[in-house]
Amino acid sequence: ELEKQVVPDSSTQIAFRELREKLAAEGWWERDMVHESKLFGIWVSLVVGAVTTAHSVPLLSILFTGLAMTNAGWLGHDYIHGVDKFSDKMRLFTAA
């Protein structure tokens, strides 16, 4: 009875599901750990840059800190939306 009350799937919904299945089959959702390491390395570099320039070049340290926090926010955002075990472990990175 419930199925009689539901609006049938539109052609757009069906096309989207087909596209998503195709992309998943092609590996678009497989995590690339080399790429993840690069992204994490960029964040670490920004944090280290901020720490090492804190006393000698404070304005540069402020810039590095701002970029590090922005980078951490975007990485955390990606992990929050992730659906794999790696994302589950890294989800709290948003709080960094």
Side-chain angles (χ1 to χ4, degrees):
E1 180 165 321
L2 181 61
E3 289 181 12
K4 294 177 185 177
Q5 299 173 359
V6 176
V7 178
D9 291 341
S10 70
S11 61
T12 304
Q13 289 172 310
I14 293 168
F16 176 78
R17 289 181 189 138
E18 290 171 356
L19 173 63
R20 191 177 190 297
E21 287 175 14
K22 178 182 179 254
L23 293 174
E26 291 175 0
W28 283 87
W29 279 272
E30 293 176 13
R31 188 162 303 278
D32 180 0
M33 293 309 293
V34 172
H35 182 68
E36 294 296 332
S37 299
K38 290 177 191 176
L39 294 175
F40 192 72
I42 291 169
W43 177 78
V44 169
S45 299
L46 290 167
V47 171
V48 169
V51 170
T52 58
T53 59
H55 293 292
S56 57
V57 191
L59 290 177
L60 185 58
S61 179
I62 291 168
L63 176 68
F64 285 153
T65 301
L67 290 173
M69 292 301 112
T70 301
N71 193 321
W74 281 112
L75 286 173
H77 172 265
D78 290 346
Y79 297 143
I80 285 172
H81 290 290
V83 294
D84 59 350
K85 290 180 181 182
F86 180 79
S87 292
D88 289 342
K89 292 176 184 173
M90 294 298 291
R91 193 159 282 141
L92 293 178
F93 189 75
T94 306

